[in-house]
């Protein structure tokens, strides 16, 4: 029987997996969640003998039950191929007392590639399955990494167009260069004079615009979302936690059924939610350690039970985590409310009107598996420096936030459970912050001189993704105001 998906805000709207992937967001503004979380269909012994692609199939088939075996395997094999610069796809590196799960070996060297290299295939397969004739227009707000990964995934994919909004001045120079040089006739990149939350709210408003949806349909278009609210992104992210666990077991690092902790540098709460789903599938995970930067809404939430976005938005050196509204948290709220769409809607309405909400004590108890903390800018720089000096391993700024929080967790709890740290970006993506954390003197160098220096001192090859943009032509120069996002989209699509 098919696993159906429900909206977090309306118990009555159910759709199949392929329909949920096509729609992105439910009509009522809620997120799609599986009506129950399936169990892992293989033992750890079995998983430990599988390739990444085989683990992906084993995990994803439980969630995407309306895909045939051939369809799903084709999606997986088209996604996890030589676009990744390592056959393992997601290698584990042991350093400084933890296991770094490197999720940055894809086309755009951030963990977003793990999901966004498969999403276009899931999306076009879903369109076929549902007899969709319109072109799919992917609309995305990005804090830096999603945008490029989505552009790379959808560029020149037939039957699709993609529009990406990013906060002008709110992403790293390398991130911006990666996006504005994107090739493909179906790609559009726009800087907005605003921050990521404004970009995300603008995109949500466009999605919710019924009149525009009608105009689009008349012109042969329909929107979908590549943001991490799409279950077509969430499900592929569960895979690497299962894979990492199986690898630890295969390598004799853990015993059968031994529990591990998972540490995740968090922004929109997508990556850590995938780990939570993995745990709910039966993967032996003890603590889910949620690491924030100075935008520590989630830390405050886990410690007090109040989610409050009314605060100063801070630009940090981990920009992909500069977020005050973590969209995917809604899926967790829904679950700890006992899959209660009404209760969840009430809280989300409060978030919308007052910018905050409180959860009940009962709900708070169900968060016992989570631990939240944050890393300041100084702590983040310091740990990059220390890990490099002690081990020679260079981590990026986001991963460094996780390393800081992991240290705090160990000091606070004396818990020595083996831990996997999600390493979410290559240090080459945030070269200036990484290199000046190692030594201030590097600040004098240009962006690409820094790249070469990082390669030298870290003894790692410059990734393809960086070589590609060294001399690439800037193709996207549009900048718009937040209020003008809708008109900008209409302009691209030739709608009046
Ligand atoms: C997107 C991103 C994050 C945050 O992931 P979420 O799923 O939004 O919590 C962390 N690090 C990097 C490098 C990212 O690109």
């Amino acid at each position: 029987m098919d696993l159906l998906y429900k909206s977090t805000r309306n118990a009555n709207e159910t759709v199949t997996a392929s329909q949920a992937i096509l729609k992105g967001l439910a009509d009522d503004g809620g997120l799609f969640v599986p009506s129950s979380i399936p169990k892992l269909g293989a033992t750890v012994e079995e998983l430990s003998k599988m390739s990444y692609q085989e683990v992906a199939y084993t995990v994803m088939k439980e969630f995407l039950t309306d895909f045939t075996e051939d369809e799903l395997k084709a999606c997986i094999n088209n996604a996890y191929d030589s676009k990744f610069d390592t056959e393992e796809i997601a290698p584990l590196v042991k350093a400084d007392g933890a296991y770094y799960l490197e999720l940055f070996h894809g086309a755009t060297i951030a963990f977003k590639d793990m999901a966004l290299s498969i999403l276009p295939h899931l999306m076009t397969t879903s369109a076929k399955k549902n007899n969709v004739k319109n072109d799919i227009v992917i609309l995305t707000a990005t804090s830096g990494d999603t945008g490029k990964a989505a552009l790379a995934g959808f560029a020149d994919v037939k039957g699709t167009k993609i529009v990406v909004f990013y906060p002008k001045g709110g992403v790293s120079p390398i991130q911006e260069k990666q996006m504005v040089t994107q090739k493909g006739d179906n790609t559009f990149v726009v800087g907005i004079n605003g921050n990521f939350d404004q970009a995300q709210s603008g995109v949500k408003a466009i999605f919710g615009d019924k009149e525009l949806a009608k105009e689009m349909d008349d012109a042969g278009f329909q929107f979908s979302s590549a943001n991490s609210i799409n279950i077509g992104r969430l499900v592929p992210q569960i895979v690497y936690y299962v894979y990492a666990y199986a690898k630890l077991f295969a390598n004799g690092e853990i015993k059968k059924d031994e529990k591990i902790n998972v540490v995740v540098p968090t922004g929109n709460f997508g990556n850590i939610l995938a780990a939570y789903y993995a745990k709910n599938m039966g993967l032996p995970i003890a603590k889910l350690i949620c690491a924030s930067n100075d935008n520590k809404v989630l830390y405050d939430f886990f410690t007090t039970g109040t989610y409050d976005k009314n605060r100063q938005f801070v630009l940090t050196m981990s920009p992909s985590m500069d977020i005050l509204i973590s969209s995917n948290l809604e899926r967790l709220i829904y679950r700890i409310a006992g899959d209660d769409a009404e209760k969840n809607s009430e809280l989300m309405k409060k978030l919308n009107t007052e910018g905050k909400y409180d959860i009940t004590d009962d709900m708070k108890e169900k968060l016992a598996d989570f631990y939240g903390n944050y890393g300041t800018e100084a702590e983040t720089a310091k740990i990059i420096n220390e890990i490099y000096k002690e081990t020679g391993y260079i981590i990026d700024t986001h991963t460094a936030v996780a390393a800081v929080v992991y240290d705090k967790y160990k000091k606070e709890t004396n818990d020595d459970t083996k831990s996997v740290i999600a390493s979410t970006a290559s240090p080459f993506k945030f070269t200036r912050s990484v290199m000046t954390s190692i030594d201030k003197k590097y600040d004098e160098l240009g962006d690409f001189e820094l790249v070469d220096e990082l390669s030298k001192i870290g003894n790692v090859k410059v990734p393809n993704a960086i070589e590609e943009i060294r001399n690439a032509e800037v193709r996207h120069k549009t900048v718009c105001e937040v209020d003008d996002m809708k008109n900008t989209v209409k302009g691209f699509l030739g709608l009046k």
Side-chain angles (χ1 to χ4, degrees), residues 317 374-384 386 400 404 408:
M317 61 174 151
Y374 70 103
T376 65
E377 293 289 273
E379 289 167 335
T380 305
K382 184 157 167 262
I383 208 155
I384 292 173
E386 283 171 0
V404 168
K408 289 185 179 176

Side-chain angles (χ1 to χ4, degrees), residues 60 67 69-80 117-118 120-126:
M60 291 178 68
F67 283 62
E69 178 171 347
D70 285 350
E71 283 170 343
L72 187 53
K73 285 190 169 163
C75 291
I76 288 168
N77 293 331
N78 281 319
Y80 304 114
S117 46
I118 193 166
H121 303 290
L122 297 176
M123 190 87 73
T124 47
T125 307
S126 297

Side-chain angles (χ1 to χ4, degrees), residues 109-112 143-146 175 228 233 237 264-273 298 318 320-321 323 326 328 396 398-399 423-426 429-430:
I109 59 176
F111 100 95
K112 304 293 194 291
S143 55
D145 291 334
T146 296
Q175 284 179 313
S228 63
R233 276 190 60 185
Q237 292 178 177
V264 187
T266 297
N268 225 354
F269 210 75
N271 200 0
I272 195 165
L273 186 78
L298 288 167
S318 45
S320 302
M321 298 157 65
I323 288 174
S326 298
N328 271 294
D396 104 286
H398 303 74
T399 310
S423 182
T424 50
S426 159
K429 206 156 186 178
F430 302 94

